[in-house]
């Protein structure tokens, strides 16, 4: 288990550029299974989870060639479905939640797919019913081996269908869309996820010959085609990194210019930080976060405490709620952080309380933060990263704290952020890895 040692209290200055979006990359790489022709993907973040997925595809027989950093060519012309029954596959897929998105493409192209119960961050219940109910609507047969925790899906033929998703699951929608593009007839999906990641997937599939209407909305209509062809696709900047960098600049009272952020795909993220009093200025496709010693949380018109809550797109992404919570600890004023979509994602706040933050954990979904207005710095402490997003929030807290902190289990952070210590050290941070 690796560790970060962070000497806090240093201001940062300079430019940061976000990596490619992890959540988009996982979908896009799975979509390469839909065609026997080569696909070219650019701006792939070379982080732990993405590289694990590429390894899984390699085991399936997908040939991947790294042209340069972040630029890969995939060739899925020769697939070995029997790999899905191997112990190696069970081990690899069982620890990577994103691997579930190979099910839709394999079902569409080869008529079957298998997946062990997916792992991933322990942030509460993350059911997969939406995936399999949607695929069953298309005519697939589903089996669950409860003893060995295996899911299997098969179909002689997929047929378009009407469906209303019980939740706007991003990965669930992605799996269903990837299966539906090769189904016979028309598929109508209500309550579809419409996050930029999903929009990008749909645009890629259209460039390959798929017929999809309603991209960007929660109503998708898909007219099935018999095959898909080659394409070239570029992954968007990672909005979670952009938000993390805004929070980092605020907590350390630093001036950071975040370059090439893909403004049109950030939704309400910049404005949500402004509600906390952060000075975020748009300059072309860059975001400049001004050095702000004091920032004040807005209140509602009637004077009541503001609530920041996650919601399906175009609402605020749940992946940034931990960063918002940390940023609020040094603001002037109070805010209620409401994590609606996962019930265990706020449990890292005990470490922030140990550091001197004033936080009341109301229940598994809600925490009230009373800002310190920098009258008291957070104290350095020893921590363990419980998941990717809490890990980056704890790193931000440690960088603003007095003294030297340690964060164990930083492999969790590496799953989502490429060379984060090196990139921040180049701006003046003091982070060492052991």
């Amino acid at each position: 288990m690796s560790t970060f040692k962070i000497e806090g209290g240093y201001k940062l200055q300079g430019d940061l550029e976000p990596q490619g979006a992890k959540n988009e990359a996982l979908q896009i790489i799975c979509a390469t299974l839909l065609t026997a022709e080569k696909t070219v993907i650019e701006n792939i973040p070379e982080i732990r989870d993405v590289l694990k997925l590429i390894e899984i595809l390699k085991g399936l027989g997908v040939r991947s060639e790294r042209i340069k950093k972040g630029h890969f060519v995939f060739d899925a012309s020769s697939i070995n479905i029997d790999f899905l029954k191997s112990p190696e596959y069970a081990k690899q897929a069982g620890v990577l939640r994103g691997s579930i998105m190979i099910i839709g493409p394999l079902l569409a192209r080869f008529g079957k797919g298998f997946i062990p119960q997916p792992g991933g961050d322990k942030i509460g219940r993350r059911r997969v019913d939406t995936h399999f109910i949607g695929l069953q609507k298309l005519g697939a047969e589903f089996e669950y081996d409860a003893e060995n925790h295996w899911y299997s899906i098969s179909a002689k033929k997929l047929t378009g269908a009407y469906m209303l998703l019980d939740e706007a699951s991003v990965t669930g929608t992605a799996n269903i869309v990837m299966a539906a593009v090769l189904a016979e007839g028309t598929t109508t999906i209500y309550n579809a996820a419409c996050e930029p990641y999903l929009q990008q997937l749909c645009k890629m599939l259209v460039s390959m010959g798929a017929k999809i209407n309603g991209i960007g909305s929660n109503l998708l209509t898909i007219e099935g085609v018999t095959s898909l062809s080659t394409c070239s696709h570029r992954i968007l900047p990672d909005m979670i990194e952009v938000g993390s960098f805004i929070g980092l600049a605020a907590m350390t009272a630093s001036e950071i210019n975040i370059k090439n952020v893909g403004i049109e795909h950030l939704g309400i993220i910049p404005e949500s930080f402004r509600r906390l009093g952060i000075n975020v200025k748009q300059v072309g496709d860059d975001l400049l976060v001004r050095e702000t010693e004091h920032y004040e949380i807005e209140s509602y018109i009637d004077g009541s405490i503001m609530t920041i809550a996650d919601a399906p797109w175009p609402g605020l992404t749940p992946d940034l709620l931990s960063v918002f919570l940390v940023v609020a600890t040094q603001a002037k004023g109070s805010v209620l952080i409401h994590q609606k979509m996962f019930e265990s994602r706020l449990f890292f706040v005990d470490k922030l309380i140990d550091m001197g933050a004033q936080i009341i954990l109301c229940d598994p979904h809600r925490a009230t933060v009373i800002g310190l207005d920098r009258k008291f710095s957070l104290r350095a402490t020893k921590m363990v990263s419980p998941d990717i997003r809490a890990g980056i929030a704890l790193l931000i807290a440690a960088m603003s704290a007095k003294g030297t902190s340690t964060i164990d289990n930083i492999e969790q952070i590496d799953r989502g952020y490429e060379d984060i210590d090196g990139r921040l050290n180049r701006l003046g941070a003091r982070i060492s890895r052991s």
Side-chain angles (χ1 to χ4, degrees):
M1 185 167 64
S2 300
T3 299
F4 276 153
K5 182 179 178 182
I6 307 105
E7 188 178 345
Y10 290 91
K11 292 188 177 184
L12 280 59
Q13 188 166 18
D15 296 340
L16 277 171
E17 186 161 354
Q19 65 190 22
K22 170 199 169 182
N23 291 340
E24 180 187 341
L26 295 176
Q27 296 181 30
I28 295 299
I29 292 170
C30 289
T32 64
L33 290 166
L34 284 165
T35 179
E37 299 185 27
K38 292 182 179 180
T39 51
V40 180
I41 313 296
E42 297 181 66
N43 204 31
I44 291 178
E46 296 186 21
I47 53 179
R48 191 178 295 261
D49 277 8
V50 171
L51 296 177
K52 280 182 180 178
L53 180 61
I54 293 174
E55 277 299 305
I56 291 174
L57 265 61
K58 182 180 178 181
L60 274 166
V62 177
R63 293 187 291 274
S64 63
E65 180 184 359
R66 185 180 186 268
I67 305 302
K68 60 181 180 180
K69 182 175 172 58
H71 187 163
F72 288 74
V73 177
F74 295 91
D75 180 354
S77 58
S78 180
I79 296 297
N80 175 24
I81 289 291
D82 291 338
F83 175 70
L84 298 179
K85 293 291 189 178
S86 69
E88 181 184 359
Y89 170 69
K91 182 179 179 180
Q92 290 176 326
V95 296
L96 177 63
R97 188 169 186 82
S99 63
I100 195 172
M101 287 183 290
I102 71 172
I103 288 291
L106 291 177
L107 178 66
R109 191 167 159 213
F110 301 102
K112 57 185 176 181
F114 308 92
I115 194 82
Q117 185 169 323
D121 288 335
K122 304 304 180 186
I123 55 177
R125 290 170 294 173
R126 304 176 74 184
R127 57 194 179 88
V128 294
D129 301 58
T130 303
H131 298 250
F132 293 108
I133 291 172
L135 297 175
Q136 284 177 295
K137 290 279 188 181
L138 296 175
E141 295 183 2
F142 168 69
E143 292 183 9
Y144 175 51
D145 181 345
E147 183 177 346
N148 298 303
H149 304 289
W150 270 89
Y151 304 102
S152 64
I153 196 91
S154 62
K156 292 182 179 178
K157 183 179 79 168
L158 295 178
T159 305
Y162 163 90
M163 63 184 77
L164 170 64
L165 303 189
D166 61 341
E167 63 171 348
S169 164
V170 177
T171 54
T173 302
N175 241 339
I176 296 164
V177 167
M178 287 188 281
V181 293
L182 293 181
E184 183 179 298
T186 301
T187 299
T188 303
I189 308 173
Y190 280 91
N191 196 32
C194 55
E195 273 77 356
Y197 320 127
L198 204 286
Q199 296 178 41
Q200 286 288 99
L201 172 65
C202 289
K203 290 174 183 176
M204 173 187 173
L205 294 174
V206 168
S207 73
M208 296 168 74
K211 297 179 180 179
I212 307 173
N213 290 314
I215 298 173
S217 76
N218 61 5
L219 171 58
L220 295 175
T221 304
I222 303 163
E223 184 181 341
V225 297
T226 55
S227 64
L228 297 178
S229 60
T230 184
C231 77
S232 180
H233 179 85
R234 182 173 178 82
I235 291 170
L236 290 176
D238 195 315
M239 69 169 78
I240 313 304
E241 269 216 342
V242 173
S244 300
F245 294 155
I246 295 173
L248 172 64
M251 279 293 283
T252 57
S254 302
E255 183 163 309
I256 294 176
N257 187 39
I258 312 170
K259 299 183 67 64
N260 303 317
V261 299
I263 290 285
E264 68 273 25
H265 302 289
L266 293 181
I268 65 171
I269 290 172
E271 184 57 35
S272 297
F273 278 104
R274 293 185 186 109
R275 293 176 72 193
L276 292 183
I278 311 305
N279 188 347
V280 183
K281 182 181 180 182
Q282 179 182 342
V283 183
D285 199 37
D286 300 348
L287 286 177
L288 177 61
V289 187
R290 296 285 190 187
E291 179 179 337
T292 307
E293 191 63 36
H294 296 280
Y295 48 97
E296 184 171 355
I297 301 169
E298 293 179 4
S299 58
Y300 290 120
I301 294 172
D302 63 359
S304 58
I305 293 176
M306 186 177 68
T307 297
I308 290 183
D310 60 339
W313 191 267
L316 186 63
T317 172
D319 285 345
L320 278 174
L321 264 264
S322 55
V323 173
F324 277 94
L325 190 149
V326 166
V327 171
T329 64
Q330 287 297 344
K332 180 181 179 180
S334 302
V335 64
L336 177 67
I337 303 294
H338 191 173
Q339 173 63 269
K340 296 179 180 179
M341 298 172 70
F342 302 100
E343 70 265 31
S344 302
R345 234 176 185 169
L346 297 180
F347 288 166
F348 76 100
V349 302
D350 60 333
K351 293 302 180 185
L352 298 177
I353 293 170
D354 289 345
M355 298 176 79
Q358 295 187 336
I359 305 172
I360 302 168
L361 186 60
C362 309
D363 56 46
H365 290 276
R366 297 177 302 160
T368 300
V369 184
I370 300 94
L372 298 171
D373 192 22
R374 297 203 200 275
K375 293 177 182 177
F376 306 97
S377 296
L378 296 181
R379 299 184 296 267
T381 190
K382 181 176 176 62
M383 300 171 276
V384 177
S385 174
D387 62 72
I388 301 173
R389 306 311 176 186
I392 199 68
L394 293 174
L395 177 61
I396 292 170
M399 291 177 65
S400 74
K402 272 189 176 178
T404 301
S405 299
T406 58
I407 303 177
D408 292 332
N409 195 31
I410 60 171
E411 289 83 0
Q412 289 283 3
I413 302 174
D414 290 337
R415 289 175 50 214
Y417 297 85
E418 185 177 352
D419 185 32
I420 189 64
D421 47 331
R423 293 156 76 194
L424 296 181
N425 283 340
R426 287 189 282 275
L427 271 64
R430 304 288 180 91
I431 306 170
S432 60
R433 180 187 291 254
S434 60

